[in-house]
Amino acid sequence: MSYSKTFLEHIEEPRNVGELQPPAVVVEVVNSACGDRIRLSVLVEEGKISSVKMRAFGCAPTLAAASVLTEVVKGYSLDEANVFTTEDLVKVLGVLPRGKKHAADLAVEALHTALSKLIV
Amino acid sequence: MELLNNKKRIYFDNSATTAVASEVVEAMGPYFTDFFGNASSVHSFGQQAKAAMDKARRQVAALIGAEFNEIVFLSGGTEANNLAIRGITQAYQDKGRHIITSQFEHPAVLNTCASLEKQGWQVTYLPVYENGIVRLEDVKAAMTDQTLLVTLMHANNEIGTIQPIAEIAKFIKEDIRPKRKNIFLHTDAVQTVGKVSLDVKSLGVDMLSISAHKLHAPKGIGALYIRKGVRIASQQTGGHQERDRRAGTENIPAIVAFGCAAELARKNIDTYTRQVEPLRDYLEQQIAKNIPDLVFNGDHNYRLPNIANISFKYVDGEALLIALDLKGVAVSTGAACASGSTEQSHVLVALGLEKDVVRGSLRFSLSRYNTREEVDYLLEVLPAVVEKLRRISPLYQERLKQESLKSQIA
């Protein structure tokens, strides 16, 4: 199995590593089966995602998924972010090895969890 | 991988497989084209093949102190372990139905034992403790009047710890065999042969598995040593090759290669103590000096000279492996994540290590072809790679927070 160029670039140089301060929302989601975790910070200003940061622990796909997610959703409106799916993320990541889709699921779950906190 | 182009590539995964030595490639070449005969044929082509096979058998026998007829060529370590375990239990099934093995054997042994369990055999899986070594007293305690086979690896493939096989053999010979003739000791020596000088007679085993591709020969060839006088039931039906113990036309080029590699290994065995072991120790010492939060896995006194197994806490071994691969360094890990559940190394789990220690484990396995420059390159890139992954890791951030709280209280 070979990973995509994008995937490898994000492993070599993960993007937007870190955490944002309030009023940004910070959430942490964990895959209970394998222990992988993503901590995502999302700042929304004027109805748009203005800043995203992440930290991640887990296998390479989890790290790459979190890193790619931060780049993709920056600038999204809340509506766009709300309908963003695992499949959308996988398209950017390139093909994931069999059994690794859960990594993209986890990243998208982090995004949607953060959005739900914003709206409430 | 595109990113790898024009980059150094360094191989520290010699427990998985090794590069075929150039002498070995050269030796086997003519047996594809010029001396391609079937060793069972009577004509000169066949006799040439037979002579080459005889020479290889002598070379392999010499490496482990066996006799010519005690070597059975077959496809590799997995087949050797299968033939040993299935062959002996089938041949002596009326003499006992109990097997003793350990929790951290190679799957070729564990899954073979599991399949025999389904056929009604009793199997005892001995613990290996935190140091990764089976205890003789546990073997003694597990022994019943039904025990037919003890099968224990000589050295573990992930942490390299060497098992007290000679002591176990002595116990069987002196305490059990006088009472019960039909008790056998098999060792899977796939990781050991060629790295540590090994003699089947002084070791005292009845069967010993070897894989050629771990000692700079090609894949698809190996051998089982079967002590003279020990019967095994052949596991496939066919011709009379290998004295009726392994049917099928012999793979002459691979056998020639194996023989050549065995001779090279015998001549180079001191290289492991003189060159590879100091290099491995240097690698470990430098890593310990430059990277915090490590766990060194497995006993450090009784182990192979070429393996280092180190856990890097707060990072995932597989992520570390891929990040190192991008720098051109190949290693392996005990953490393989599949379908959202991390399939942890049964070896490291058997040592009783914490989950996150298992998760962050890397195995560096060297060969006689690795150099100090290669280790220095690893030492140049590894600290930054670990640091980068830790910087991303929320677990590591927690640790840093706790540390700063502690220092504030202090």
Side-chain angles (χ1 to χ4, degrees), chain B residues 60-283:
Chain B
V60 172
L63 179 61
I64 58 165
E67 287 171 31
F68 181 82
N69 283 333
E70 293 177 322
I71 300 295
V72 174
F73 286 123
L74 33 66
S75 66
T78 293
E79 192 188 339
N81 288 334
N82 267 269
L83 181 60
I85 297 168
R86 292 181 193 277
I88 204 97
T89 50
Q90 206 175 315
Y92 295 89
Q93 53 187 317
D94 53 334
K95 307 291 184 194
R97 307 273 287 175
H98 176 234
I99 300 168
I100 298 173
T101 186
S102 85
Q103 291 171 354
F104 78 164
E105 297 300 309
H106 189 275
V109 167
L110 282 182
N111 292 337
T112 305
C113 287
S115 114
L116 287 172
E117 264 183 300
K118 285 193 189 129
Q119 296 168 32
W121 289 77
Q122 296 286 317
V123 181
T124 303
Y125 299 91
L126 298 178
V128 293
Y129 304 96
E130 206 183 332
N131 65 349
I133 296 180
V134 164
R135 294 182 185 168
L136 174 61
E137 57 261 37
D138 288 339
V139 177
K140 288 183 181 175
M143 196 66 71
T144 74
D145 59 5
Q146 278 292 303
T147 309
L148 179 77
L149 174 69
V150 178
T151 172
L152 292 167
M153 62 194 347
H154 190 271
N156 182 269
N157 52 314
E158 289 187 34
I159 54 174
T161 51
I162 295 175
Q163 307 304 309
I165 301 297
E167 286 87 336
I168 293 165
K170 185 168 177 273
F171 157 69
I172 289 174
K173 188 182 166 199
E174 291 175 3
D175 292 31
I176 308 294
R177 226 167 242 157
K179 292 176 264 177
R180 273 191 323 114
K181 192 168 65 131
N182 294 309
I183 168 121
F184 302 97
L185 177 60
H186 164 248
T187 191
D188 168 1
V190 159
Q191 293 295 339
T192 312
V193 173
K195 288 159 198 141
V196 174
S197 143
L198 192 148
D199 180 275
V200 284
K201 305 296 170 192
S202 55
L203 200 58
V205 293
D206 300 297
M207 295 176 289
L208 179 143
S209 302
I210 315 175
S211 166
H213 76 94
K214 310 286 191 193
L215 45 108
H216 305 289
K219 294 149 193 74
I221 188 72
L224 180 65
Y225 156 79
I226 306 173
R227 183 174 60 79
K228 205 190 324 182
V230 174
R231 276 189 296 127
I232 57 142
S234 171
Q235 295 302 299
Q236 59 194 34
T237 44
H240 296 296
Q241 291 89 353
E242 298 300 295
R243 298 163 66 88
D244 284 327
R245 292 172 294 188
R246 206 275 191 173
T249 301
E250 299 90 345
N251 182 354
I252 301 297
I255 288 172
V256 167
F258 186 9
C260 176
E263 187 162 332
L264 285 172
R266 194 166 56 84
K267 287 179 179 159
N268 283 305
I269 202 106
D270 290 342
T271 320
Y272 270 86
T273 28
R274 271 188 295 107
Q275 182 187 315
V276 181
E277 187 165 27
L279 199 58
R280 188 273 315 270
D281 293 346
Y282 170 69
L283 179 151

Side-chain angles (χ1 to χ4, degrees), chain A residues 1-3 5 7-9 11-14 17-19 28 31-39 54-61 63 98-100 102, chain B residues 1-3 7 313-320 322-323 326-327 336-342 355-356 359 388-395 397-398 401:
Chain A
M1 166 70 215
S2 61
Y3 290 108
K5 196 174 167 210
F7 183 104
L8 295 175
E9 280 169 359
I11 290 300
E12 195 148 47
E13 213 43 76
V17 175
E19 226 166 287
E28 186 164 306
N31 179 329
S32 57
C34 64
D36 282 10
R37 62 180 68 210
I38 295 173
R39 187 181 295 174
M54 68 86 185
R55 288 194 199 281
F57 166 81
C59 58
L63 307 187
R98 241 174 58 189
K100 297 283 193 184
H102 67 91
Chain B
M1 281 205 216
E2 215 174 306
L3 289 177
K7 274 195 187 168
K313 290 174 86 172
Y314 314 110
V315 296
D316 172 81
E318 200 189 38
L320 196 48
I322 291 174
L326 288 169
K327 302 282 181 198
C337 163
S339 305
S341 70
T342 299
K355 245 183 173 176
D356 61 329
R359 183 100 199 236
K388 191 180 283 176
L389 291 178
R390 282 184 175 163
R391 200 167 53 82
I392 311 169
S393 169
L395 300 178
Q397 298 308 313
E398 291 299 322
K401 254 185 220 163

